[in-house]
Amino acid sequence: MSAVQDVPYESLDPDAFDRAEKLVQQLYSPGSPHQKSEIQEDLQRLQRSRQGWQLADGLLKSEDERVRFFGALTFTIKIHVDWESLGDEDTEPLLHRLLHWLTLRVNAHETPLVTRKLCTSLVAYFLRPKVAWDRCLLHLVCCLNAGDAVNYQQLLSSPDKDVTQVAPHLGRNQLLASIWFAASLIEEISKTKYTGSDTHKYHERIVLVLEDVAALLQTSLQLQGKSEPAIAEESVKCFQAWVTELAPLRKLTPYSLQLLWHKEVSEVTADCLGDILNPFSAFFTPQDLDMLVHFLVSEQARDQLSLLLEGIFDPEPMAIARLLLAYGDASIQDLAKNLNNPKVQPVMRELMQLLQCEGYAGVADEICTPALEFWQSYTEFLIDSLYGDEAKVAQWIDDAKQYVVQAIASCWVKVRLPPEETWAGWNQDEKGDFKAFRADVKDLLQSSYTLLGTSVFDRLAQLALEALQNHAWLHLEATLFCLNALGETISDENVVDASLSRLYSSVLFPRMMDASLAIPSKTQQTAMTTIVSFAAFVERHTEFLPSMLTFLFESLEVPKLAQVAAKAIYSTCDTCRKSLVSEVGAFLRQYEALLQWDGVEAMTKERVIGAIAAIVQAIPSTEHQVMNFIKLLDYVERDVEACLESAKVGLMEQSQEYGICALRCLVEMGKSMQEADGAVIDLENEASTEDAHHSPAWAASQERIVHCLHAVSASLSKDGEVIEACCQLLRTGYKESSPGPFVFSPKITESFVANSNLQTPRLENVLDTAGAMLTRHTRTAAKTIDTSLITFLVHVFQLAAAMGYNPSTEPGVSASCIDLVAKYIPHYLHIFLHPQCQHHIANFITFTIRCLAGYEIMPIRASAFFWALLFQQKYGFPPEVGAMVDSILAQYGPHATLIIVHKISGQCARSEVETYVEPLKRLAFTQIRAKQWLEDAFYTDSFPNPKMAFNQKRLFLEKVISLRGAKRTTRVAMDWWSECRWPSNIASTLENVLTAIPAPTPSTLPRLNCLMIVRALELCVDFVRVEEAAAGEDEEDEEEDEGRYCCVMVPSDEEEVSQRMGGRC
């Protein structure tokens, strides 16, 4: 008896159907999760049983809709899961039964829930391998028309039968079922991936169905949407789903466009057409676009769009607005070049109105942001056109620019902030959306400057003066926001000085702090940002400094304004430092007053003291510099003393606040005391560079700074922020070549680094600071830091030993250790021969090889860079150094080469291949022994992929050697990795791995089986990754491709697997 042959129900368990029906009803009734789980398990057992096919038949006879749905679902599941159990003689009877049930239920006015699921079962049947049902839609339509299943082969032998003849005779429910089947068919096909020879078969089957779909939709779309809105809506959705197949459906576009006029289906039709128009504008013929424009400028469309202007963002007007924007995006070029066309002007007017809807952008106004995107694209098109044929451009560009001006004017209104009470009522998402819209407006303004020049700036400056005069504070804030956006583009040019002079010479800054005017704090903050945006203007026009600085220092007293004001003070003093030298005393007094205020924030203190230090740096006399700098140090030392006193009484949180503030104040002072940008640096005067820390004038100040650093770091040695601030402080003087208070002796950094250990928080920062000091001295390979170099190297060796030379103990620290030692190459290699260091070299080199062979990405990258540098060393050393390098390479080079070769031969992740290729390229280009080392690595018995043939290895080796480190080596290595990782028999290999895993049970699953499963999953994911990667991708595209695929993290041992899986499979 065949698997699906009709079996008399009495031969089954008489209670099977009743029991199944009751289980389904219980499943959809209230109950406990445990009870639901048991019911599901019982139903699944019934579905998977040999009688599951007959069970589906019986359930479809039920009076309960939910039970009938479960019966249809059972057919779908059986087709997916138990298809292999069917014989060739079973498939056609199964199709007959499915069509019988569909026609029966449709004629019985079945609910959409059950009908759709029966359609899904039929689609599942169509997608099964070797199913001969190419004219599936024609067959289904004919069955529905006949009222029962008809013989498929007899249907095919009737050449006069086609969907165009049959579809008009279908009833409403029959037509809906046909459309649902067609839509479900393409949706399921789109989820199915075909490869190789299947692709051609898939295409052939779709082409045959496509003609029938077009005929069916032509019938359904011709129905008036007003009389049958459900059919029209489902037809449009089906049309959208099939549109990627294009050609035969193109003739249906006019019918879809006609549905826009029917209010019942206007929304879904507009969304459908908009989704098609945006990526597939070529799908529409010129006649189609004319029909679309006719609708968009019609009274019906205008009435809907006018609702948006009133703040009514209902689904239908939103859908029409999105359709309008899709048309605009698809037709930008035609719109911009034909603005005098009577058909274009109404469209442009409507597009502009989308920026003028009632409500705040991103909060109430949902269309404003996509409308802004259109106008940004429009502006960019005009900018691109400026570089075209000037004679042709001149004919239309001036008119097109006026629309950009109008768009900016509309955006100026939309960026206005709400009242503070309204802003406070918004949630974080609403605030974020509104800020994002303002950022997009900023982009539009910056783009427009290329197109419009200074005219838009001059107009905005005039609007700011008008708003100031009218006390329209939110209008003023919006205008200043727009000016600041333009300031990032033109702040270094004097073309807007006249407009800025009128604005700065007005009562703008004095009025900002007038308490009687109740100016919103956001307007005051934006006025401060204006000062920062046009700092170069103030540098040229110092006459405006007094009013600006008065406004800024008064703002420091207001908590809401303090941080923004401090930033503006820092920017102004940094830019205009030379002009403010005479006022340094006033700044110090102002800072003294600032410290007396209650609740002054640490960041405010840091920015202001950094601003004053910038002025101090500009004082011509070193004596006066030191005198004023000492006064700043006095302020910092107060915080240091407070830090130590708080620590003594156990107030550690307060101690931390004082300590971090003191260190960060010193950091800001150090940055400000650096030589100003543009200062002349004497590159020939090496002595001044090396002796910069030997400065009697700054000696006392340096001692006090170092005392602050040591005192705070000793008191708060376990605080990561303190350690990081100490590192920042030490680095502030590294770039200086002339004496200064922060140009410390190398001994200071040496001592700080030597006092660190594995328990030191943010140890990586400490080691990176040592590396920064080495880099600062690398240019001269100065002998003056040899002592520090020895200390650093010994310290790294000690840290590596403390980690047991195991990079997985502290991956970040391991990488920083190797990075630091790499900076010794080539200038400081002689330090390796020092008696304190030379006995540890072997262990450290072994440590780098372990990192190279490991699985932690940071140590891998650091060690690969180290070996790339080491392989590159050939000559130019003193004899003893050259002999040491040669000895290291001779002893450890073959081992490092072996690891690199094995890694790129499939033992590393694809994203790591490029990391390992770098030392390989240096090896091939520089080392005379490269060929021998590579051959030994490739032809060893431990090669990771023994199935790779000798000739394959030889060919790859010849490519690497012949390329001599050229860029194309990376591409060659990527290809080699793919060959090694995924040989031609990968499918059988995976199958063998999976079948070797014993069938697990929740109680007996061994940890080793978990590991094997995870390993197999990694193989599968990587296989998909390689298969999908473009075979001919360029090297510059590789980084982008890396992020395209998901990754499976593969544990390195059984314990980690068990931990990740929480003890469960």
Side-chain angles (χ1 to χ4, degrees), residues 205-390:
R205 299 183 76 188
I206 288 300
V207 168
L208 292 173
V209 177
L210 185 57
E211 295 290 345
D212 293 337
V213 172
L216 174 68
L217 293 181
Q218 184 170 358
T219 299
S220 61
L221 287 170
Q222 284 176 330
L223 295 176
Q224 291 298 311
K226 189 171 183 180
S227 59
E228 289 291 351
I231 292 178
E233 181 175 341
E234 295 301 330
S235 299
V236 170
K237 290 179 180 178
C238 184
F239 172 64
Q240 182 182 8
W242 279 89
V243 78
T244 53
E245 301 299 330
L246 296 183
L249 299 181
R250 205 168 191 174
K251 60 186 178 184
L252 304 180
T253 308
Y255 302 110
S256 299
L257 289 166
Q258 289 173 4
L259 292 176
L260 288 170
W261 298 89
H262 298 284
K263 186 173 178 61
E264 292 80 2
V265 293
S266 178
E267 176 194 340
V268 67
T269 305
D271 278 334
C272 164
L273 294 173
D275 290 343
I276 298 171
L277 185 61
N278 205 350
F280 304 115
S281 58
F283 182 76
F284 291 81
T285 65
Q287 293 76 18
D288 294 337
L289 293 176
D290 287 342
M291 289 181 65
L292 178 57
V293 171
H294 179 60
F295 170 77
L296 291 174
V297 300
S298 67
E299 183 177 355
Q300 178 179 331
R302 289 200 305 270
D303 289 344
Q304 290 295 324
L305 294 174
S306 66
L307 296 176
L308 301 179
L309 294 175
E310 299 170 10
I312 303 173
F313 297 93
D314 287 342
E316 185 175 351
M318 285 292 294
I320 294 174
R322 288 191 293 268
L323 177 59
L324 173 64
L325 289 171
Y327 172 76
D329 286 332
S331 310
I332 283 181
Q333 182 173 343
D334 293 334
L335 293 174
K337 293 182 177 180
N338 297 282
L339 292 172
N340 294 324
N341 188 324
K343 293 183 179 180
V344 170
Q345 292 172 354
V347 175
M348 295 296 287
R349 185 164 53 250
E350 290 178 347
L351 286 166
M352 187 63 65
Q353 288 175 345
L354 295 182
L355 286 176
Q356 301 166 358
C357 300
E358 189 69 26
Y360 291 103
V363 182
D365 185 352
E366 302 173 11
I367 200 64
C368 196
T369 298
L372 179 60
E373 292 175 2
F374 164 78
W375 287 108
Q376 176 70 32
S377 300
Y378 177 86
T379 304
E380 291 172 355
F381 169 72
L382 298 187
I383 293 172
D384 293 340
S385 299
L386 288 176
Y387 301 97
D389 189 330
E390 294 184 6

Side-chain angles (χ1 to χ4, degrees), residues 582-602:
S582 60
E583 302 297 327
V584 67
F587 276 90
L588 289 168
R589 290 190 295 273
Q590 190 68 49
Y591 189 71
E592 179 69 41
L594 171 68
L595 297 179
Q596 307 307 315
W597 299 340
D598 293 333
V600 59
E601 295 186 6

Side-chain angles (χ1 to χ4, degrees), residues 914-933:
E914 192 168 352
T915 300
Y916 285 105
V917 168
E918 285 307 310
L920 178 65
K921 290 195 292 189
R922 307 287 180 90
L923 171 68
F925 179 70
T926 308
Q927 292 298 320
I928 194 172
R929 294 163 289 191
K931 188 173 186 297
Q932 182 61 49
W933 292 350

Side-chain angles (χ1 to χ4, degrees), residues 704-752:
R704 293 173 64 179
I705 295 171
V706 172
H707 172 73
C708 292
L709 183 148
H710 287 161
V712 175
S713 62
S715 178
L716 300 168
S717 60
K718 301 302 180 184
D719 190 287
E721 290 186 69
V722 169
I723 298 301
E724 184 174 352
C726 290
C727 293
Q728 292 173 346
L729 177 57
L730 290 170
R731 295 166 79 130
T732 54
Y734 288 169
K735 65 177 287 187
E736 298 298 291
S737 59
S738 57
F742 294 92
V743 186
F744 304 124
S745 165
K747 294 283 186 183
I748 306 301
T749 303
E750 175 188 334
S751 172
F752 181 77

